[in-house]
Amino acid sequence: MSNVESLPRRILQSIIGFVRGWIESVRVKKRDYLVAAVELILAGLTGFLVAGIVLLVMGYDPIWIYSVLFRYGYSSPGYLGARSAALMMTGLAFSIPILAGVFNIGGESQLYLGALTGLVIAYYTGNIWLGLIAGFIGGAAWGLLIAALRVYRGINEVITAIMLNWTAYYLIIYIILKYLPNPTQSHLSIQIPENMMLSYSSTFWLAVLGAVIAYILLYYTDLGYKMRIAGLSPRTAVYAGFNPRKAILFSMLLGGGLAGYGGALHIIGVASAFDTTMSTVFGLGFAGIGVGLLGRNHPIGIIFASVFYAGLIIGGQFVELYTGAPPYLSDTIIGIIVIALAIPYAYRMMINYITLLRGGGK
Amino acid sequence: MSGEEVVVMKNIHKIYPDGVVALRGVDFTVKRGEIHGLLGENGAGKTTLMRILYGEIKPTRGEIRVFGEKVSFHGPWDAIRRGIGMVYQHFTLVPTFTVKENLYLSLLSVNPKASMDEALERVRRIVEETNLKIPLEYLVEELPIGVQQRVEIVKNLIREAKILILDEPTSVLTPVETEELFKALERFKEMGLTIIFITHKLKEAKRITDRITVLRRGRVVGTVETNRVDVKDLARMMVEREIIFKIEKKPARRGEALLEARDLHVLDDRGVEAVKGISLKLYRGEIFGIAGVQGNGQRELAEALAGIRRVESGRILLHGRDITGLSAAERYRYGLAYVPASRRIGLVSEMNIVENTALTNLYRVLMKMRVINWSKASSIASEVVRRLEVVAPSLTTPIKYLSGGNQQKVMVGREIVREPDVFIVSEPTQGLDVAATEFIRRTLIRLRDEGKAILLISSDLDEVLQLSDRLAVIYEGKFMSVGRPEEYTLEKLGLLMGGVSV
């Protein structure tokens, strides 16, 4: 058999092998997948039901509100994709550290930093690719700071992240007003020119690329493998000769970097500039926590979760427009749905923790 | 002194939900005002019996009387109300509270309306009576272990404990602290308290107790008056068994020394010295057994050899090369394998067989750009499954769905397939059924015959006696002796494990 014949055959065989392996793993973990699916469906239903009751109590017709929400939220695929880019990245910024056993709620400020460095570099160099790279670096540095304080000084990452979120918030407002004012529109920062902006679809696919790279790093390299081991069982990591500290640093570097990349994508692909009240970026990082939980902390799941979530956000704006419901109402609905979806997961994490404690005793 | 019987436990059985039988019909009686020793090896059932008396777990069958009254405890609070107190090996104090606050807290648990003044008054009275000195204003975490233990004891006394259970109380103490504790116990006895003293240390049992009950494998071997027996009798009672050398093995063909440790000193997690100057040489083609009751430095020794735990002083040589400064991963690559005692440490239960196999085989499956070759990892995993006869639905089954025996086989097998020269194996058959145990033991002998060097650390006497070519007994971080297994009688082993040199 010649090489020319065997090459496609080998590719075919490896594809078959991969699919077989996948089917096998589905078969074995059937129960786990089934439980996850049932949980998601039940949680979704509960979320919409509870939110519906809230709407009724407040005097709105839930059917009407939901129909607006879904009709307009998902009607424009391009825009939907672009809006999900930043959420996808902040979702990963939450989930990747979770896999290493770190609770990163600093995705918000990591996104700010990345958006700022991305904007500045893209604006002054005229090169959006450099801007995206700068965004990653800015977010990574901010994330690494949190990790370093945890690893070398034992400071709880949640505290650091909360404080740094506000530090970044005011710092950036200050920088925009003082150093980057827009000469023509006083409520904006310097602006990426229209012709340089990424298209909606490239914005989305660049985000998907980020998620896929994260997926490969996590599941197909030793860095990700060691990180996941350290997250699931630090003692096992030590036994195998891995350094759990490195895992924490790496997870925050990657998570923070992706949040920053998401911030840069959001500026270069959607918003084009900061506004002086930060309303274009505010909340994207916090929403990432919900996206990460919804996506079950898996990069591929997070891609879908971010699109779903972005649709809710867009639809929520239309709900406000068409029904006159206050803007907070859509936030409330989203909040309830996300909580409902996250509860079973959080519940299982708690159960695992408790069994660990019980079994740990003699 | 030979007063009424304050504790009577009759025909106590305990079967844990996972099927482990801990107690098989134990009768246990304690008299008022005595110090009663409870002696036995690991897994003899000492702690289980006392946790039942303290109401922490319920017996499967059996009857308990305390101060003559039949009781059925729902939890420790019931036992505390009846005047029973327990001091665990791991203390139950709040580290960030002061001593005073901890004592107040413990009083609140029996009397929610008590005031701090009341607590202090009680403490003052107890300190006066017992002469136990405790620093009230200090944070617990700042105190040495011995003082923390004193606080723990006072904590039980202010709840008016009449019967005090101490679980291996000297295992965390220095000799001076131990002596102080014994003085305190003698004073308690004068005060009329009853003390149950769990231990595996023969000399201590002989020194401090009035009577001793010896447990072995969930049964009472006997209860004796301490002054009528000597440590040899106790040792025999503790370890006596029929040893069946059911595994046939060829005589060892010993080669050159592969692993050497020179005067190792290692600390435990609390920073206390756990390995106190151990030297050993492990040769090709032999199984070197280390027997001893758990917690005498075995874990620290194994971890230091594997490179997981820092060595305070001393050297470790592999193939004659100094590896003291090398990381665990590097040592594994140079031909060392370590199978830890706990599957919780060795395995990640949520991950599948392939991912768990890759753990120590990572250097073999890494390609360019640090990409993991999962298909190679799968083939290594299937080799493990094939060679160790692991029963599993598939390679992608999460390890938690496998039986304990099959988990153990994965943990041992993934080391075997990477062909190291030196194995450090810790409690390889703990909690396994007969068939799996037999399989693992035969595998170890086969490895020996193939010219590997095996360091077998086990608290299972049958195991070390059956498998070892040379056998050392470890006690409080030191080897009590090294010799051929035939040189040991059971009595001698029992004495050595209990810290009595022969």
Side-chain angles (χ1 to χ4, degrees):
Chain A
M1 200 194 313
S2 77
N3 271 335
V4 188
E5 278 179 0
S6 70
L7 185 67
R9 179 174 293 187
R10 262 174 27 212
I11 292 172
L12 189 71
Q13 274 171 348
S14 60
I15 291 173
I16 291 172
F18 177 81
V19 171
R20 233 185 236 157
W22 185 76
I23 291 172
E24 180 73 356
S25 87
V26 171
R27 196 180 64 78
V28 172
K29 290 196 250 172
K30 192 162 57 185
R31 209 181 130 263
D32 292 3
Y33 284 123
L34 198 73
V35 168
V38 169
E39 270 178 16
L40 279 173
I41 291 165
L42 275 181
L45 286 177
T46 317
F48 283 108
L49 200 73
V50 174
I53 293 169
V54 172
L55 287 173
L56 270 180
V57 170
M58 293 178 69
Y60 295 98
D61 175 7
I63 308 286
W64 165 233
I65 300 251
Y66 283 149
S67 70
V68 172
L69 186 70
F70 284 102
R71 186 151 7 111
Y72 296 101
Y74 301 92
S75 60
S76 152
Y79 184 60
L80 178 68
R83 285 295 299 267
S84 49
L87 291 171
M88 204 185 295
M89 294 302 104
T90 51
L92 288 168
F94 174 75
S95 292
I96 292 170
I98 278 283
L99 292 177
V102 186
F103 202 76
N104 180 25
I105 60 165
E108 182 80 12
S109 57
Q110 289 145 21
L111 174 118
Y112 295 169
L113 257 284
L116 179 75
T117 48
L119 171 67
V120 170
I121 298 295
Y123 183 81
Y124 288 109
T125 63
N127 185 326
I128 51 167
W129 306 107
L130 285 180
L132 292 178
I133 294 169
F136 184 93
I137 294 171
W142 207 244
L144 209 52
L145 178 62
I146 297 174
L149 285 170
R150 148 106 187 244
V151 166
Y152 297 112
R153 283 285 170 270
I155 303 172
N156 186 295
E157 71 271 16
V158 174
I159 312 276
T160 326
I162 290 175
M163 309 230 269
L164 284 180
N165 279 346
W166 292 107
T167 311
Y169 181 82
Y170 289 110
L171 185 72
I172 284 172
I173 292 181
Y174 173 77
I175 291 174
I176 292 167
L177 290 173
K178 177 116 188 182
Y179 300 105
L180 309 170
N182 190 313
T184 53
Q185 283 165 289
S186 64
H187 71 283
L188 290 182
S189 69
I190 50 170
Q191 205 168 2
I192 306 280
E194 187 86 30
N195 57 1
M196 262 174 68
M197 293 280 288
L198 282 167
S199 74
Y200 281 160
S201 66
S202 338
T203 307
F204 174 71
W205 289 112
L206 279 171
V208 171
L209 181 70
V212 170
I213 289 175
Y215 173 66
I216 291 170
L217 276 174
L218 289 178
Y219 291 94
Y220 287 91
T221 70
D222 69 328
L223 285 167
Y225 175 73
K226 288 174 179 175
M227 200 195 91
R228 288 185 296 126
I229 299 266
L232 286 168
S233 171
R235 290 195 300 173
T236 308
V238 172
Y239 157 67
F242 313 153
N243 186 345
R245 288 177 151 197
K246 275 192 196 159
I248 292 174
L249 291 169
F250 171 67
S251 75
M252 286 297 287
L253 176 106
L254 186 61
L258 287 173
Y261 174 68
L265 267 180
H266 188 71
I267 292 286
I268 295 167
V270 182
S272 83
F274 276 101
D275 60 315
T276 51
T277 56
M278 302 281 280
S279 67
T280 43
V281 287
F282 187 79
L284 289 174
F286 293 130
I289 298 172
V291 173
L293 286 171
L294 253 147
R296 302 264 142 168
N297 294 331
H298 193 287
I300 306 304
I302 285 171
I303 295 176
F304 294 101
S306 68
V307 174
F308 174 68
Y309 204 116
L312 289 182
I313 293 180
I314 299 168
Q317 290 165 344
F318 279 96
V319 167
E320 194 186 331
L321 193 69
Y322 284 101
T323 67
Y328 302 114
L329 195 62
S330 58
D331 289 347
T332 312
I333 299 169
I334 295 171
I336 292 171
I337 292 166
V338 170
I339 289 171
L341 286 167
I343 280 176
Y345 188 72
Y347 171 76
R348 275 207 312 204
M349 287 207 295
M350 258 157 55
I351 293 279
N352 280 345
Y353 183 68
I354 289 166
T355 37
L356 211 73
L357 279 186
R358 284 253 173 102
K362 205 164 134 188
Chain B
M1 204 209 81
S2 55
E4 54 170 316
E5 295 175 338
V6 290
V7 173
V8 180
M9 299 178 84
K10 265 213 177 98
N11 196 26
I12 303 289
H13 288 256
K14 177 68 193 178
I15 303 165
Y16 283 108
D18 57 0
V20 175
V21 184
L23 298 173
R24 311 158 196 262
V26 168
D27 294 328
F28 180 65
T29 314
V30 183
K31 292 179 189 164
R32 184 188 290 277
E34 71 171 344
I35 301 182
H36 195 115
L38 197 52
L39 192 68
E41 289 180 78
N42 293 119
K46 298 169 299 205
T47 303
T48 303
L49 186 68
M50 286 304 103
R51 285 173 70 187
I52 288 173
L53 178 59
Y54 191 51
E56 204 185 326
I57 49 179
K58 286 189 173 182
T60 313
R61 196 144 30 102
E63 186 187 309
I64 306 168
R65 284 172 185 279
V66 177
F67 294 112
E69 241 175 284
K70 194 172 170 209
V71 292
S72 163
F73 296 145
H74 296 287
W77 51 90
D78 284 341
I80 291 168
R81 249 172 248 140
R82 298 270 176 168
I84 299 174
M86 182 149 174
V87 177
Y88 293 92
Q89 278 184 64
H90 301 282
F91 304 142
T92 54
L93 300 166
V94 183
T96 51
F97 275 16
T98 62
V99 170
K100 195 167 83 177
E101 288 164 340
N102 266 290
L103 293 173
Y104 180 44
L105 182 67
S106 79
L107 185 62
L108 285 181
S109 70
V110 284
N111 178 8
K113 290 192 192 109
S115 66
M116 180 60 106
D117 288 341
E118 202 179 329
L120 289 178
E121 172 58 26
R122 284 192 189 206
V123 172
R124 201 189 50 76
R125 224 170 41 229
I126 287 159
V127 169
E128 208 166 81
E129 244 175 295
T130 60
N131 213 10
L132 282 178
K133 292 192 184 65
I134 47 169
L136 285 176
E137 304 296 336
Y138 277 78
L139 292 181
V140 163
E141 61 188 357
E142 291 171 352
L143 299 175
I145 305 280
V147 181
Q148 289 190 22
Q149 188 180 59
R150 239 178 280 156
V151 176
E152 188 82 27
I153 291 172
V154 172
K155 190 176 114 177
N156 280 291
L157 294 182
I158 73 171
R159 294 197 291 221
E160 292 171 341
K162 304 276 187 301
I163 301 165
L164 200 56
I165 306 165
L166 302 168
D167 189 1
E168 302 266 4
T170 59
S171 64
V172 293
L173 301 182
T174 63
V176 179
E177 288 174 330
T178 303
E179 209 40 55
E180 280 174 17
L181 173 71
F182 285 179
K183 284 204 190 100
L185 293 185
E186 270 155 8
R187 202 182 324 269
F188 293 166
K189 196 167 94 175
E190 283 163 22
M191 288 162 54
L193 292 180
T194 307
I195 290 154
I196 302 173
F197 188 94
I198 306 178
T199 189
H200 66 266
K201 297 181 182 175
L202 297 171
K203 276 195 268 188
E204 288 178 0
K206 177 76 181 137
R207 151 96 166 72
I208 190 73
T209 62
D210 300 307
R211 291 198 305 157
I212 296 172
T213 296
V214 183
L215 288 183
R216 194 174 64 219
R217 295 181 176 178
R219 286 200 173 87
V220 174
V221 182
T223 299
V224 293
E225 305 267 338
T226 307
N227 53 24
R228 294 209 184 144
V229 291
D230 60 13
V231 282
K232 282 187 188 169
D233 301 321
L234 292 174
R236 207 178 307 122
M237 287 171 78
M238 194 165 92
V239 299
E240 200 164 33
R241 69 192 67 206
E242 257 178 68
I243 293 191
I244 315 152
F245 289 91
K246 54 182 175 220
I247 291 189
E248 71 280 7
K249 54 175 187 182
K250 288 176 263 175
R253 288 186 13 238
R254 202 163 102 165
E256 77 277 16
L258 292 182
L259 181 72
E260 190 180 344
R262 290 185 190 153
D263 195 28
L264 277 190
H265 290 262
V266 186
L267 303 184
D268 66 11
D269 292 336
R270 299 186 313 257
V272 179
E273 194 175 41
V275 176
K276 302 167 184 164
I278 283 185
S279 299
L280 66 88
K281 268 188 179 180
L282 182 62
Y283 296 90
R284 186 181 286 286
E286 74 162 348
I287 296 179
F288 183 94
I290 297 180
V293 178
Q294 274 172 13
N296 275 294
Q298 292 97 321
R299 186 174 138 217
E300 288 78 8
L301 174 64
E303 292 186 352
L305 291 174
I308 299 166
R309 191 173 285 271
R310 212 166 70 89
V311 172
E312 289 304 305
S313 69
R315 313 227 64 81
I316 302 166
L317 287 85
L318 182 66
H319 293 295
R321 172 179 172 197
D322 194 325
I323 58 161
T324 318
L326 295 189
S327 73
E330 286 167 311
R331 292 181 201 200
Y332 297 160
R333 210 170 311 165
Y334 290 125
L336 188 88
Y338 170 42
V339 181
S342 162
R343 290 189 283 275
R344 279 167 197 285
I345 293 179
L347 299 170
V348 180
S349 60
E350 288 85 0
M351 286 190 167
N352 63 34
I353 299 176
V354 179
E355 287 169 309
N356 271 294
T357 306
L359 196 69
T360 52
N361 284 287
L362 194 58
Y363 63 93
R364 297 173 65 199
V365 299
L366 229 42
M367 304 187 300
K368 270 183 227 154
M369 306 271 295
R370 317 185 68 158
V371 171
I372 296 177
N373 185 343
W374 282 117
S375 70
K376 176 135 189 243
S378 293
S379 69
I380 295 175
S382 62
E383 191 189 343
V384 171
V385 168
R386 183 171 49 77
R387 278 175 58 177
L388 273 289
E389 299 167 23
V390 178
V391 181
S394 89
L395 290 179
T396 47
T397 308
I399 209 93
K400 64 182 171 189
Y401 294 137
L402 267 56
S403 71
N406 283 307
Q407 290 183 13
Q408 190 75 23
K409 284 179 180 175
V410 171
M411 207 159 77
V412 175
R414 71 173 177 213
E415 304 306 318
I416 293 175
V417 296
R418 59 190 189 86
E419 300 280 334
D421 294 318
V422 178
F423 285 83
I424 301 164
V425 185
S426 198
E427 308 285 354
T429 58
Q430 198 170 47
L432 300 190
D433 61 31
V434 180
T437 300
E438 177 94 6
F439 185 90
I440 298 274
R441 288 181 184 169
R442 281 190 196 288
T443 307
L444 291 177
I445 290 187
R446 208 187 61 229
L447 288 170
R448 176 196 83 149
D449 294 341
E450 286 168 9
K452 313 288 186 195
I454 295 162
L455 185 68
L456 171 67
I457 300 173
S458 175
S459 56
D460 182 337
L461 273 186
D462 297 325
E463 184 160 277
V464 280
L465 282 171
Q466 280 181 31
L467 297 183
S468 306
D469 299 306
R470 285 191 301 148
L471 178 59
V473 179
I474 193 171
Y475 176 77
E476 295 196 333
K478 286 186 189 138
F479 282 165
M480 298 292 289
S481 83
V482 182
R484 294 153 54 78
E486 304 87 74
E487 292 166 13
Y488 293 96
T489 58
L490 273 173
E491 178 186 298
K492 192 173 159 190
L493 266 178
L495 285 169
L496 291 166
M497 282 167 57
V500 182
S501 352
V502 212

